[in-house]
């Protein structure tokens, strides 16, 4: 297989990754400590039953969502940005693809900063130096394209799985060696099931929407769905449920659960033990979060390559450098409050792409049957965004998961506009004239 990333064209039918390799690429994306910490936070803010239920349902929803988008990538053999251009038009896709490319670039900086922070704190090394070195290493891995994603995932997945097992074993041994463990109530019930579900979906909505970037390399529809299954519900669900389980065990042994970003997670706990456990935990943190960081940079580089019509390697170097600078200077800390924005803005984009593809709208656009402004997708996006914002900033947010509301609203609007004769429209000086078929 060549190393060409096809930022402006289709992948050849003779090129692609095996089901196992593509599955490992996907598994290495969400099977990370950040998702485990997220599970710990959800458990500490709700209850074990609520957290487990929301994570389980959310993981299955993500499987369907990402699987449908991945199949579109396999069928078209194009990246998300290329597909978005066909749906949203030559001008409109600049915003859609640019937004997602910017969001995942932000996640690259955060996932570069997290292991750098762990390393710097554990061994007393200047943070900016560690962040710079790790960032450069992650950029070099990303420069290898889809092959680089497979290589780092092959290390990240088994290492993180081993770390989780070791952390649980050490925590269990600590309880057995000391006084009798006692149960402490887990969770303060400050978040409802709907809010936890919204958080589960939003935690990977942007990267999941970019599924065509990876699944264009699938060799068959079956391979496309199996590879997504390795991430959702498997990798994502196991990582997040591990956080819930670890939080529960900490509470059972009377240990603090209030600091999931510090010691109340598998890596933080092993670092606290010191010695070989700390060294192993920091090493895994670097490779594990590096896997997610490189995946995000890969998505970002593909998108910006298409937008600015630059070679993949050139774009990777440029946007990677920007991400490293943001991570090294500590500016990344201002990027953490994104889940709320992602839950409103991103699901409608995925909804429009899915409905446009499976309703035949994408095929009619790509064949030239539909011409002019891509009004239907933008009206649908607007519908999803408005509904999502209304719920997000009202009391309804306690009872309605924002990502689902914004997705359903956009999907219904696109379904109606794509099915009627007026699905593609053009504006005149007097009214909205039908311009289709």
């Amino acid at each position: 297989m060549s190393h060409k990333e096809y930022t402006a064209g289709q992948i050849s039918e003779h090129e692609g990754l095996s089901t196992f390799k593509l599955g490992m690429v996907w598994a290495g994306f969400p099977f990370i400590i950040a998702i485990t910490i997220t599970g710990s936070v959800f458990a500490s803010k709700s209850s074990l039953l609520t957290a487990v239920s929301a994570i389980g349902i959310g993981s299955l929803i993500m499987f369907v969502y990402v699987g449908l988008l991945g199949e579109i990538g396999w069928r078209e053999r194009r990246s998300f940005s290329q597909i978005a251009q066909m749906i949203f038009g030559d001008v409109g896709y600049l915003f859609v693809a640019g937004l997602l490319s910017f969001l995942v670039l932000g996640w690259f900086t955060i996932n570069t900063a997290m292991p750098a922070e762990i390393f710097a704190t554990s061994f007393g090394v200047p943070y900016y130096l560690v962040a710079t070195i790790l960032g450069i290493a992650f950029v070099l891995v990303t420069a290898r394209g889809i092959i680089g994603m497979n290589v780092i995932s092959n290390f990240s997945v088994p290492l993180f799985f081993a770390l989780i097992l070791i952390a649980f074993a050490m925590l269990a041994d600590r309880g057995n060696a000391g006084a009798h463990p006692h149960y402490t109530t887990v969770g303060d019930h400050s978040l409802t099931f709907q809010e936890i579900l919204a958080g589960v979906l939003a935690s990977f909505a942007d990267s999941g929407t970019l599924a065509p970037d990876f699944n264009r390399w699938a060799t068959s529809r079956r391979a496309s769905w199996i590879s997504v299954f390795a991430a959702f519900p498997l990798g994502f669900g196991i990582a997040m449920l591990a956080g819930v389980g670890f939080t529960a065990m900490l509470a059972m042994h009377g240990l603090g659960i209030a600091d999931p970003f510090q010691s109340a997670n598998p890596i933080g706990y092993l670092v606290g033990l010191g010695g070989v456990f700390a060294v192993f935990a920091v090493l895994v943190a670097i490779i594990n979060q590096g896997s997610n960081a490189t995946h995000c940079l890969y998505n970002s580089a593909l998108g910006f390559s298409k937008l600015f019509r630059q070679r993949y390697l050139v774009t990777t170097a440029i946007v990677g450098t920007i991400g490293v600078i943001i991570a090294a200077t500590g500016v990344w800390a201002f990027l953490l409050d994104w889940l709320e924005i992602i839950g409103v803005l991103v699901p409608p984009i995925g909804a429009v792409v899915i409905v446009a593809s499976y309703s035949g709208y994408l095929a009619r656009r790509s064949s030239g049957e539909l011409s002019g402004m891509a009004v239907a997708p933008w009206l649908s996006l607007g519908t999803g965004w408005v509904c999502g914002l209304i719920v997000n900033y009202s009391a309804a947010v306690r009872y309605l998961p924002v990502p689902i509301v914004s997705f359903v609203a956009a999907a219904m609007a696109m379904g109606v506009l794509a099915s009627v004769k007026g699905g593609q429209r053009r504006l005149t000086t007097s009214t909205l004239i039908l311009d289709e078929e």
Side-chain angles (χ1 to χ4, degrees), residues 33 111 114-116 118-119 123 130 134 137-138 152 156 267 279-293:
I33 185 60
N111 286 289
M114 285 183 64
I118 294 173
F119 188 99
F123 302 111
V130 180
L134 291 183
F138 297 159
I152 194 169
S156 174
I267 283 184
V279 174
F280 177 68
V282 172
L283 174 64
V284 174
I286 291 173
I287 297 175
N288 183 244
Q289 287 300 127
S291 179
N292 185 272

Side-chain angles (χ1 to χ4, degrees), residues 33-250:
I33 185 60
I35 296 299
T36 298
I37 293 174
T38 302
S40 296
V41 172
F42 289 157
S44 66
K45 295 295 182 181
S46 56
S47 69
L48 292 181
L49 179 59
T50 299
V52 170
S53 300
I55 291 169
I57 294 174
S59 297
L60 292 176
I61 292 175
M62 287 299 295
F63 169 64
V64 176
Y65 177 73
V66 177
L68 290 173
L69 287 163
E71 182 176 327
I72 296 170
W74 162 76
R75 186 171 62 245
E76 298 293 332
R77 308 200 71 79
R78 298 180 187 273
S79 67
F80 173 84
S81 295
Q82 296 175 55
I83 295 171
Q85 183 177 23
M86 292 188 288
I87 294 174
F88 295 98
D90 294 336
V91 176
Y93 96 99
L94 297 176
F95 173 80
V96 172
L99 171 64
L100 288 174
S101 297
F102 173 77
L103 287 174
V104 291
L105 176 60
W107 286 121
F108 164 74
T109 66
I110 292 172
N111 286 289
T112 298
M114 285 183 64
E117 187 74 39
I118 294 173
F119 188 99
T121 302
S122 301
F123 302 111
V125 182
Y127 164 78
Y128 72 88
L129 179 61
V130 180
T132 301
I133 294 174
L134 291 183
I136 293 174
F138 297 159
V139 171
L140 292 176
V141 172
T142 309
R144 292 285 292 167
I146 195 68
I147 295 177
M149 301 307 97
N150 175 250
V151 171
I152 194 169
S153 293
N154 288 340
F155 286 99
S156 174
V157 172
L159 281 174
F160 187 51
F161 189 75
L163 180 137
I164 290 176
L165 293 179
I166 292 172
F168 271 94
M170 293 304 297
L171 180 57
D173 182 66
R174 172 173 179 165
N176 294 332
H180 292 292
H182 62 278
Y183 182 77
T184 301
T185 301
V186 178
D188 59 15
H189 300 272
S190 60
L191 294 179
T192 66
F193 169 85
Q194 291 80 2
E195 288 174 307
I196 296 294
L197 178 59
V200 171
L201 299 177
S203 63
F204 234 81
D206 47 358
S207 296
T209 302
L210 294 170
D213 289 354
F214 298 109
N215 285 53
R216 62 197 177 121
W217 296 100
T219 55
S220 66
R221 176 183 284 107
R222 180 173 177 269
S224 178
W225 281 92
I226 290 176
S227 64
V228 170
F229 185 80
F232 307 98
L234 285 187
F236 182 81
I238 292 174
M240 196 168 283
L241 289 174
V244 175
F246 201 77
T247 299
M249 283 192 66
L250 287 171

Side-chain angles (χ1 to χ4, degrees), residues 376-425:
W378 283 102
L379 288 176
S380 303
L381 274 186
T383 301
W385 289 339
V386 169
C387 291
L389 287 171
I390 291 174
V391 171
N392 192 68
Y393 293 104
S394 68
V397 73
R398 296 280 293 174
Y399 312 103
L400 297 173
V402 175
I404 293 180
V405 171
S406 61
F407 176 91
V408 171
M412 291 178 63
M414 188 63 197
V416 172
L417 293 173
S419 63
V420 300
K421 189 175 182 180
Q424 173 68 19
R425 306 181 178 196

